[in-house]
Amino acid sequence: MPANLPPTDDFAHRHLGPSPHDIERMLQTMGVASLDALIAEVVPSQIRTKSSLGVGPARSERDALEELRALAEENEVWRSFLGLGYFGTITPPVILRNILENPSWYTAYTPYQAEISQGRLEALLLYQTMVEDLTGLEIANASMLDEATAAAEAMTMSHRLANDVRHTYFVDARVHPHTIAVMRTRAEPLDIQIVVGDADTFAFDDKVFGALVQYPDTDGRIRDYKAFCDAAHAHKALVAVATDLLALVLLPSPGSFGADIAIGNSQRFGVPMGYGGPHAAFMATRAVDKRQIPGRIIGVSVDVHGNQAYRMALQTREQHIRREKATSNICTAQVLLAVCAGMYAVWHGPDGLRRIARRVHGLTAALAAGLTKAGHTVETDRFFDTIKVRATGDVAARARAARINLRTHDDGSFGISIDETTRPEDVADLLAVFGAARDVDLSAGPKHGPTRDDDILSHAAFRSFHSETEMLRYLHRLATRDLALDTAMIPLGSCTMKLNATTEMIPITWSGFGAIHPFAPAEQTKGYAKMFAQLEGFLAGITGFSAVSLQPNAGSQGEYAGLLVIRAYHRHKSGPDHDRDICLIPTSAHGTNPASAVMAGMHVVAVRTNESGNIDIDDLRAKAQQHSAKLAALMVTYPSTHGVFEEGIREICNIVHEHGGRVYMDGANMNAMVGIAKPAELGADVCHLNLHKTFCIPHGGGGPGMGPIGVTAELAPFLPGHPFAPHLGGPDAIGPVSAAPWGSASILPISWAYIRMMGDAGLTLATKVAILNANYVADRVKGHFEVLYSGKNGRVAHECILEARNLKPHVEVADLAKRLMDYGFHAPTMSFPVAGTLMVEPTESESKAELDRFVHAMIAIRAEVQEIQDGKADAKDNVLKGAPHTAQAVIADAWEHKYSRERAAFPTASQRLHKYWPTVGRVDDAYGDRNLMCACPPWEPQE
């Protein structure tokens, strides 16, 4: 290839929005000589790293895919009958292609702006309705991270509802062991005493505030918990039931026998096992406790025209708003996977789900009958899909020879779980493994006891879309009601909505990654092990830390895990009775920080910020001195939440270290640091990384995510372990924080591919361009909007905060956000970290043309505000107060506004080329909270 031609397989130039020529023009506009000169103005020289990232040269997209393919092929996809809450499933191709692999779904953001999120809000409401129907409870949330953490949330929710001094929680021994392990991790810092025992013989007393049982239990047995619930309620204790949605298609619901809370995993509703995730867990409870259920809830409201509209209900419940008063640090959900699971129920409908459930149970019954006939002891008398078997002979060896995974119990018995993917010939192979005849008798009757007699999934949506044509159109119709990255820039500060490249996404649906059970033997997952080691090495090199844990499956989980590691370090150093429990947190920090600290058993002490938005170092020094003997940690976000590189970061870390504390760095803004600065070199001891931000895992409409942590050598021994991965974590490992050993493992190839294809040079250039794009926007809007915070050279980091409080009383910041929808944009982050402002983060993936389009929109909106201020536009009836404008409103016969239809809907020329229409007008939040409805309202398919 001639030297003057660029390589055609260079990924970085596809990832970066501005071309080299555009970069030059942007720098000229800003009056800066070069990109490096800009970085010198933005990033203090004393924090710049002199070491390489250690990632190496960039690989082409083709080469990276071939390398990942080789890793996937090193994983051996055996037939896994391990159960434990994870099952083989068939993802309907119409869902696979049109949701899981569709950027209209996976590049969307959390539906804070309801008017441009109606599609995924409806899909999540269907998910909630499905969970409510199957659990027999009145209200459900829009998903949780995994079953084990949902169980932990149920425990802490029960503790709050007990509202007294009781601190004992009972867990049945037949709950999944990894769930019990995660609950122990959660309970210990909160002084909750977990008692594990037998639910059949346990006697409640007035010290017990709640209990958790599994239905069916981990061995597959179905038990009647009616008397257990009655006994709990007699002592004012609450009962949570970990359950299985497919089993509930046939079995009486938890609500029917008195459960207060139901939790579980919706994975087997069409979501691949993926070596542990991501999967959407669920939680449902009684309506009376709706304000205590953690996580997000989707509700029904109306828009300004009186039309039905969906929204996130009770938004002030969001844990990051409640800060140190939070009852949970959960601020996200597994939206993309919840949508898939809900649509699985829509696709199959109640009759289809019954057919699947009956088939699964029938094959299990046939297996049990065949094993019994062969002389083996099937210990599970009432079951749905799982049995426990005592057998003679070398079953394990025959299973290995047949490439079959069975669960082996400590007592030498075997567990076998049947799923949707199981065929009669698989059952025949299982019988042969146990030395039984291969005859599969499908005539056995039900072995699960009572069958539920109430109707399920009666809503029309679950009974309407069973041809692929209709399902395809329904999914497309929902997708068009949302604004995702495939439509326009989403300039959300602190959220880093950057390109999620197709090449990065392709491997997640390969069977070599997706079809692996999370507890498959290590010798079957060598490809995953290599990828984990490489990714941990990449992240360690990028951050400067000694070790990395990939287990936390959300940023909030990373915060929590990091603080638990610090806590374990102090306890190891000073003994279990140590009293280092003070966590210093700047008032500007992400709200999940104080919530995570409280969950980790720490007491929050706020540190002031100064007029520039930086940490008040004098106040920090005073607080550190005041609490020196008890100082455990400082939580700091860098660059700051205000979008500035604070020059005093090393001094800040030193102050904390001088008083024996350790520094936790929130890595939410790592997109401004990769290749330029390393957290460990600045003095941080632990840092979590949002792989769904900096490292390109898509937000998926509000999840999935990953939040691995990097730590220094002294903290490495305490990284989280897991009962099914004995060599995971350090020698003094804390307990697991997620259900699976490596969290949501199946989406890690996305970040691996991004890092691999960018290489050292590309990653560093991406950071520089992210900083360029933010400063270009900040520079262009000056004179129209004040940039609230900047560094000493007048520059921002990778995001900027635009002042809008000075526009009152004429308009509110929400009016700007809604009007941006008419211009075809999602609003920047609204009122965070400063109320009444907009925080803009354009990311490196946006082109100069898109940045200019956004700038023109902001300038035009500011002019519209000026017209109101000057009295040229009506104070109440104007384009901002009327925004967003729907097509239905614009074409209606009646138009009573004092501004034109054209100005409402087509404010710029670009809108005539491509118009995005919000499907509802401004949503009435207050109405939705006053008239709370969190299940699908009745409707019939449109004619």
Side-chain angles (χ1 to χ4, degrees):
M1 178 180 292
N4 60 336
L5 291 179
T8 58
D9 57 358
D10 173 36
F11 174 75
H13 85 270
R14 296 189 178 96
H15 176 80
L16 300 175
S19 67
H21 177 62
D22 286 338
I23 290 174
E24 290 182 11
R25 292 168 60 200
M26 293 162 72
L27 290 168
Q28 289 173 3
T29 299
M30 298 162 57
V32 181
S34 68
L35 194 53
D36 285 337
L38 173 64
I39 300 304
E41 292 183 14
V42 172
V43 186
S45 59
Q46 64 268 30
I47 77 158
R48 296 285 297 273
T49 185
K50 295 180 174 59
S51 59
S52 72
L53 296 179
V55 171
R59 302 294 297 270
S60 70
E61 292 176 81
R62 177 182 178 183
D63 288 347
L65 280 177
E66 289 180 353
E67 195 171 347
L68 273 174
R69 176 72 75 180
L71 291 173
E73 290 175 352
E74 286 195 57
N75 295 326
E76 300 180 32
V77 183
W78 290 25
R79 286 175 289 177
S80 286
F81 301 95
L82 296 166
L84 290 159
Y86 300 94
F87 298 89
T89 185
I90 298 170
T91 307
V94 67
I95 292 176
L96 177 70
R97 176 65 58 87
N98 295 287
I99 297 179
L100 197 58
E101 297 178 343
N102 185 349
S104 293
W105 288 96
Y106 67 67
T107 69
Y109 182 59
T110 303
Y112 289 119
Q113 297 294 340
E115 296 83 358
I116 52 176
S117 307
Q118 289 296 296
R120 85 196 85 123
L121 285 168
E122 181 173 322
L124 289 173
L125 199 62
L126 282 168
Y127 175 84
Q128 290 178 186
T129 303
M130 173 189 75
V131 171
E132 292 162 8
D133 277 8
L134 292 177
T135 62
L137 290 164
E138 297 158 313
I139 192 166
N141 61 22
S143 78
M144 305 194 76
L145 298 177
D146 58 42
E147 181 172 329
T149 55
E153 292 288 343
M155 175 181 67
T156 54
M157 175 181 166
S158 299
H159 199 207
R160 294 193 301 276
L161 288 168
N163 197 29
D164 59 18
V165 295
R166 293 181 288 176
H167 296 286
T168 300
Y169 193 76
F170 172 76
V171 179
D172 185 62
R174 297 182 185 89
V175 170
H176 294 318
H178 49 291
T179 297
I180 297 176
V182 170
M183 294 181 73
R184 289 189 188 278
T185 303
R186 180 71 65 87
E188 191 270 333
L190 301 177
D191 292 328
I192 294 173
Q193 308 301 316
I194 288 183
V195 173
V196 177
D198 187 343
D200 292 339
T201 59
F202 180 74
F204 283 91
D205 59 33
D206 292 337
K207 296 179 181 179
V208 179
F209 66 85
L212 175 72
V213 294
Q214 191 105 31
Y215 173 73
D217 68 26
T218 191
D219 296 334
R221 183 184 171 202
I222 296 168
R223 291 183 284 175
D224 183 353
Y225 290 114
K226 176 71 167 62
F228 182 85
C229 291
D230 289 344
H233 296 156
H235 288 81
K236 297 182 180 180
L238 301 180
V239 176
V241 176
T243 190
D244 180 292
L245 293 179
L246 190 62
L248 295 184
V249 172
L250 301 182
L251 303 182
S253 69
S256 70
F257 56 70
D260 302 287
I261 304 169
I263 61 99
N265 187 353
S266 64
Q267 175 266 318
R268 71 187 311 174
F269 273 31
V271 180
M273 287 186 289
Y275 205 36
H279 308 137
F282 61 85
M283 178 182 283
T285 190
R286 303 169 302 177
V288 68
D289 297 328
K290 60 181 177 287
R291 294 183 182 274
Q292 290 294 333
I293 187 171
R296 294 172 177 156
I297 299 175
I298 308 306
V300 182
S301 187
V302 296
D303 73 359
V304 68
H305 308 295
N307 298 316
Q308 180 178 285
Y310 308 115
R311 58 181 282 276
M312 286 174 56
L314 307 174
Q315 282 198 34
T316 55
R317 303 165 57 260
E318 285 283 275
Q319 298 298 336
H320 64 275
I321 296 172
R322 299 184 65 175
R323 303 182 71 81
E324 66 270 16
K325 295 181 181 180
T327 53
S328 166
N329 73 340
I330 296 298
C331 64
T332 188
Q334 298 281 25
V335 171
L336 185 65
L337 299 316
V339 170
C340 289
M343 289 304 164
Y344 178 94
V346 169
W347 175 241
H348 288 292
D351 291 338
L353 291 179
R354 288 190 190 98
R355 285 193 296 271
I356 294 170
R358 287 169 182 155
R359 182 179 179 277
V360 167
H361 178 67
L363 289 173
T364 311
L367 174 64
L371 292 172
T372 301
K373 185 177 180 181
H376 302 301
T377 302
V378 177
E379 295 188 346
T380 320
D381 53 349
R382 296 170 57 194
F383 54 81
F384 169 63
D385 60 8
T386 298
I387 56 176
K388 185 177 181 181
V389 185
R390 290 195 178 275
T392 58
D394 198 352
V395 173
R398 288 196 292 266
R400 285 193 297 272
R403 293 170 62 87
I404 284 175
N405 289 324
L406 303 174
R407 181 180 177 186
T408 304
H409 293 280
D410 292 340
D411 61 6
S413 62
F414 296 94
I416 311 172
S417 294
I418 302 302
D419 59 45
E420 180 189 12
T421 68
T422 306
R423 298 181 173 96
E425 49 266 40
D426 296 315
V427 174
D429 289 344
L430 283 167
L431 289 170
V433 162
F434 282 84
R438 295 175 58 87
D439 298 331
V440 180
D441 182 4
L442 297 176
S443 62
K447 303 293 183 182
H448 51 64
T451 299
R452 71 184 300 163
D453 54 11
D454 56 319
D455 196 14
I456 60 169
L457 305 181
S458 58
H459 190 273
F462 297 108
R463 298 170 183 250
S464 301
F465 306 110
H466 306 318
S467 77
E468 184 157 342
T469 303
E470 289 301 313
M471 187 67 170
L472 177 69
R473 289 171 181 163
Y474 180 54
L475 295 178
H476 177 69
R477 186 160 72 245
L478 293 183
T480 60
R481 295 176 181 175
D482 283 5
L483 189 152
L485 275 176
D486 62 343
T487 302
M489 175 172 71
I490 301 179
L492 285 150
S494 189
C495 293
T496 319
M497 298 293 293
K498 61 200 284 181
L499 172 69
N500 316 121
T502 306
T503 299
E504 297 158 5
M505 298 298 295
I506 286 173
I508 68 170
T509 53
W510 291 347
S511 63
F513 290 130
I516 307 290
H517 193 285
F519 307 141
E523 58 268 23
Q524 297 171 22
T525 58
K526 294 178 181 177
Y528 258 126
K530 287 184 179 180
M531 187 187 69
F532 295 154
Q534 291 171 1
L535 184 56
E536 288 171 6
F538 293 158
L539 297 177
I542 288 168
T543 59
F545 287 112
S546 297
V548 170
S549 170
L550 299 173
Q551 188 176 119
N553 57 0
S556 57
Q557 291 289 85
E559 293 179 16
Y560 174 59
L563 291 175
L564 288 182
V565 165
I566 290 175
R567 184 175 186 272
Y569 162 80
H570 287 308
R571 289 172 70 88
H572 182 80
K573 188 175 181 180
S574 306
D577 296 327
H578 84 100
D579 57 357
R580 286 191 175 271
D581 60 357
I582 297 296
C583 186
L584 303 179
I585 303 181
T587 56
S588 62
H590 288 88
T592 51
N593 287 180
S596 296
V598 170
M599 282 179 54
M602 297 184 183
H603 299 285
V604 175
V605 173
V607 177
R608 290 196 300 264
T609 55
N610 59 29
E611 64 279 0
S612 300
N614 298 327
I615 293 174
D616 185 327
I617 294 180
D618 289 338
D619 189 54
L620 171 68
R621 185 178 290 108
K623 297 286 175 59
Q625 179 65 49
Q626 177 185 352
H627 300 285
S628 182
K630 301 187 68 174
L631 181 59
L634 165 75
M635 300 185 79
V636 60
T637 301
Y638 200 78
S640 73
T641 310
H642 295 130
V644 176
F645 283 95
E646 297 184 52
E647 296 195 27
I649 185 62
R650 290 183 185 274
E651 182 181 1
I652 288 168
C653 294
N654 288 338
I655 291 171
V656 175
H657 290 152
E658 287 170 5
H659 292 277
R662 291 296 175 264
V663 176
Y664 162 88
M665 183 173 284
D666 188 315
N669 295 336
M670 193 69 194
N671 209 48
M673 292 180 67
V674 177
I676 290 180
K678 297 186 177 184
E681 294 178 0
L682 302 180
D685 299 286
V686 56
C687 175
H688 95 265
L689 302 170
N690 296 99
L691 299 191
H692 50 290
K693 295 183 179 182
T694 303
F695 299 100
C696 290
I697 291 175
H699 286 64
M706 280 289 275
I709 56 173
V711 297
T712 57
E714 69 174 358
L715 296 184
F718 309 99
L719 288 174
H722 195 280
F724 284 97
H727 303 296
L728 185 66
D732 298 300
I734 62 170
V737 297
S738 299
W742 290 276
S744 296
S746 67
I747 55 175
L748 292 176
I750 301 170
S751 297
W752 183 98
Y754 169 68
I755 295 170
R756 196 72 159 155
M757 293 187 297
M758 293 292 281
D760 280 16
L763 290 168
T764 304
L765 181 59
T767 302
K768 293 178 179 179
V769 174
I771 292 172
L772 167 67
N773 282 0
N775 280 278
Y776 178 73
V777 169
D779 192 80
R780 290 288 315 278
V781 300
K782 284 180 180 176
H784 306 278
F785 290 92
E786 176 190 350
V787 176
L788 198 55
Y789 299 107
S790 60
K792 70 176 184 179
N793 295 314
R795 301 294 184 190
V796 299
H798 63 309
E799 58 193 11
C800 58
I801 298 176
L802 304 183
E803 178 65 89
R805 293 170 296 182
N806 55 355
L807 304 181
K808 290 182 176 182
H810 304 284
V811 296
E812 302 287 336
V813 67
D815 298 323
L816 306 182
K818 305 308 179 186
R819 181 58 172 157
L820 270 168
M821 298 176 190
D822 291 330
Y823 286 80
F825 285 104
H826 193 295
T829 301
M830 190 174 71
S831 292
F832 177 81
V834 180
T837 65
L838 293 172
M839 184 161 63
V840 182
E841 182 180 355
T843 85
E844 72 274 12
S845 299
E846 299 300 340
S847 67
K848 178 179 180 296
E850 186 73 351
L851 299 179
D852 287 338
R853 193 169 76 87
F854 174 73
V855 167
H856 292 157
M858 291 299 295
I859 293 174
I861 290 172
R862 181 62 185 86
E864 292 170 348
V865 176
Q866 193 63 47
E867 290 181 1
I868 303 170
Q869 292 175 324
D870 294 342
K872 296 178 181 179
D874 189 89
K876 295 183 178 179
D877 184 20
N878 55 68
V879 289
L880 284 105
K881 295 294 183 182
H885 298 88
T886 66
Q888 182 180 5
V890 171
I891 66 172
D893 291 338
W895 181 260
E896 300 176 353
H897 296 294
K898 297 179 180 178
Y899 51 91
S900 71
R901 302 172 192 258
E902 181 178 25
R903 190 162 189 203
F906 298 98
T908 64
S910 66
Q911 298 303 297
R912 293 174 174 81
L913 296 174
H914 174 69
K915 173 64 181 176
Y916 171 80
W917 289 99
T919 54
V920 296
R922 195 173 301 197
V923 176
D924 188 335
D925 291 330
Y927 177 93
D929 283 347
R930 288 195 307 269
N931 304 276
L932 191 63
M933 178 189 293
C934 299
C936 289
W939 61 270
E940 295 297 333
Q942 296 179 353
E943 296 181 359

